[in-house]
């Protein structure tokens, strides 16, 4: 019904499976092209939250088969990493990696002399709080690190789903209370990207906290946001896509996010080594401005679209 009111479309850009299937139908009527942006683990993490056990495996296989059919009918399928696209069969020339980099303006929020989130303290930004982001282990690490870091604070954003996954909002609150972390943990509601740029720019370090189950093909946009803000980060040592970037740019520590002592040690190292932290900060921000922002990342995609209409 909606498609009957749309006219003169050259390219449909679909950001999720449902819209991709609809875009394919609309495009075939008008001769338009379709780009499907696979930026989530639709076949894995999302399904596991709702369907488990043997039924989960059956649903996953059916879902991959159906999504593969949609992908084959699209003119181009883009993914945030190679691992995200691997399960979908039949993709050859119509695939492209386009990472979810932060926009270049994100770096403008970091101004020399801007006030810190914690006056004369040490503030770390954790990002999304939930089980997949190792929040339960990070709480244990904060409990260890605060003995070595005066006025330690950690900013988190409430990403708990109503269904829960074994470590929901209530379990989080109980653990914070049990460990006595009320003056350390700052749990906030999610905010628009513009506000995130300002918050990150006032912190001293960032955590890319991801457990092994979620780490494989993942390149979270937080990595690029932290780089834009000039934050030295601690990243999961078992996330190859992330490690490849930070090894090239020399802007992060690598830790095991299933080991609270390793996480705490990284926090303490970043606190105790301000000169090295500043060097990592400079390299991260410079790399973002030169190679890892959206204005740079989107150029191959724009070139592909232009090639469809050359002449």
């Amino acid at each position: 019904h909606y498609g009957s009111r749309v006219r003169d479309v050259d390219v449909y850009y679909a950001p999720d499976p449902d819209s991709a299937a609809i875009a394919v139908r609309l495009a075939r009527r008008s001769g338009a092209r379709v780009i499907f942006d696979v930026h989530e683990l639709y076949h894995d993490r999302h399904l596991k939250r709702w369907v488990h056990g043997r039924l989960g495996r059956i649903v996953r296989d059916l879902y991959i088969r159906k999504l593969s059919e949609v992908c084959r009918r699209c003119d181009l399928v883009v993914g945030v990493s190679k691992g995200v696209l691997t399960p979908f069969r039949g993709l050859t020339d119509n695939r492209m990696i386009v990472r979810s980099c932060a926009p270049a303006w994100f770096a403008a929020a970091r101004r020399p002399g801007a006030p810190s989130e914690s006056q004369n303290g040490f503030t770390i930004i954790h990002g999304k709080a939930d089980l997949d982001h190792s929040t339960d282990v990070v709480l244990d690490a904060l409990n260890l690190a605060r003995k070595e870091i005066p006025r330690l604070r950690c900013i988190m954003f409430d990403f708990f789903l109503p269904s829960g996954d074994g470590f929901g909002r209530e379990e989080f609150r109980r653990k914070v209370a049990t460990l006595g972390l009320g003056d350390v943990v700052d749990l906030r509601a999610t905010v628009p990207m513009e506000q995130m740029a300002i918050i990150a720019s006032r912190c001293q370090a960032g955590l890319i906290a991801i457990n092994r189950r979620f780490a494989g093909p993942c390149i979270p946009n937080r990595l690029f946001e932290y780089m834009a803000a000039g934050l030295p980060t601690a990243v999961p040592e078992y996330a190859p896509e992330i490690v490849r970037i930070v090894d090239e740019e020399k802007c992060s520590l690598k830790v095991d996010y299933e080991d609270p002592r390793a996480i705490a040690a990284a926090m303490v190292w970043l606190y105790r080594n301000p000169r090295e932290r500043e060097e990592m900060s400079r390299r991260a921000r410079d790399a973002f401005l030169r190679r890892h922002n959206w204005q740079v990342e989107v150029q191959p995609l724009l070139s592909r679209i232009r090639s469809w209409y050359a002449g």
Side-chain angles (χ1 to χ4, degrees):
H1 177 69
Y2 175 74
S4 65
R5 303 198 302 270
V6 177
R7 296 288 185 274
D8 302 323
V9 175
D10 295 309
V11 179
Y12 288 98
Y13 181 86
D16 56 58
D18 293 342
S19 63
I22 295 171
V24 166
R25 291 199 297 271
L26 295 176
R28 295 303 171 260
R29 300 175 189 170
S30 62
R33 307 267 187 160
V34 177
I35 298 173
F36 176 23
D37 182 355
V38 182
H39 56 271
E40 298 282 359
L41 296 173
Y42 299 114
H43 65 284
D44 188 3
R45 179 170 180 252
H46 287 264
L47 282 181
K48 284 179 179 177
R49 288 186 178 274
W50 308 105
V51 188
H52 308 282
R54 185 170 179 271
L55 178 61
R57 292 192 294 273
I58 294 172
V59 172
R60 178 182 182 274
D61 290 343
L62 290 173
Y63 195 85
I64 289 177
R65 185 183 307 171
K66 182 63 178 177
L67 208 54
S68 296
E69 293 176 3
V70 173
C71 289
R72 285 193 293 270
R73 296 174 66 191
C74 294
D75 297 279
L76 181 63
V77 179
V78 302
V80 294
S81 70
K82 185 183 297 184
V84 167
L85 297 178
T86 296
F88 307 122
R89 297 177 287 273
L91 300 181
T92 53
D93 295 337
N94 67 328
R95 65 189 297 167
M96 177 182 291
I97 304 302
V98 182
R99 304 168 302 165
S100 296
C101 295
W105 59 257
F106 204 97
R110 188 163 189 89
R111 304 181 303 278
S116 169
E117 277 284 336
S118 58
Q119 299 297 329
N120 302 315
F122 192 73
T123 300
I124 298 172
I125 184 167
H126 168 55
K128 296 175 180 177
D130 71 354
L131 188 64
D132 283 334
H133 292 90
S134 292
T135 303
D136 56 336
V137 186
V138 170
L139 292 178
D140 289 326
L142 290 168
N143 187 41
L144 296 171
R146 66 174 168 176
K147 301 170 186 175
E148 307 291 335
I149 305 175
R151 296 180 296 280
L152 172 64
R153 290 180 69 231
C154 184
I155 297 175
M156 303 180 178
F157 293 92
D158 189 335
F159 202 65
F160 297 110
L161 292 180
S163 63
D165 49 16
F167 187 74
R169 190 176 295 109
E170 292 308 312
E171 290 84 355
F172 169 85
R173 288 172 175 163
R174 281 198 296 270
K175 187 159 188 174
V176 168
T178 299
L179 295 176
L181 292 172
D183 60 339
V184 174
V185 173
D186 181 358
L187 183 66
R188 305 183 182 186
T190 55
V191 298
M193 181 179 285
E194 293 82 357
Q195 294 181 34
M196 187 67 180
I198 296 171
I199 293 169
S201 73
R202 294 175 177 174
C203 296
Q204 284 75 52
L207 305 180
I208 305 294
I210 304 171
N211 60 28
R212 280 177 169 79
R213 185 169 70 91
F214 184 43
C218 181
I219 308 183
N221 55 8
R222 279 182 299 142
L223 174 63
F224 306 111
E225 292 175 359
Y226 292 174
M227 292 175 71
L231 295 185
T233 58
V235 305
E237 62 189 11
Y238 40 77
E241 303 272 6
I242 298 173
V243 168
R244 178 182 58 79
I245 295 172
V246 300
D247 278 354
E248 290 175 358
E249 307 301 354
K250 298 179 174 58
C251 60
S252 297
L253 303 179
K254 292 174 287 188
V255 302
D256 183 347
Y257 271 100
E258 296 178 0
D259 180 354
R261 294 187 179 278
I263 303 168
M267 294 178 184
V268 172
W269 188 93
L270 288 167
Y271 170 73
R272 289 179 176 172
N273 294 274
R275 182 175 298 179
E276 290 84 350
R277 194 173 73 232
E278 186 59 33
E279 280 298 306
M280 293 168 71
S281 172
R282 180 188 59 78
R283 288 193 293 265
R285 195 165 186 275
D286 181 68
F288 172 80
L289 291 172
R290 292 176 181 271
R291 292 178 287 279
H292 300 292
N293 65 74
W294 177 248
Q295 280 67 22
V296 172
E297 187 70 16
V298 77
Q299 291 307 314
L301 175 58
L302 297 180
S303 295
R304 177 69 67 90
I305 295 172
R306 293 188 189 103
S307 73
W308 291 339
Y309 302 99

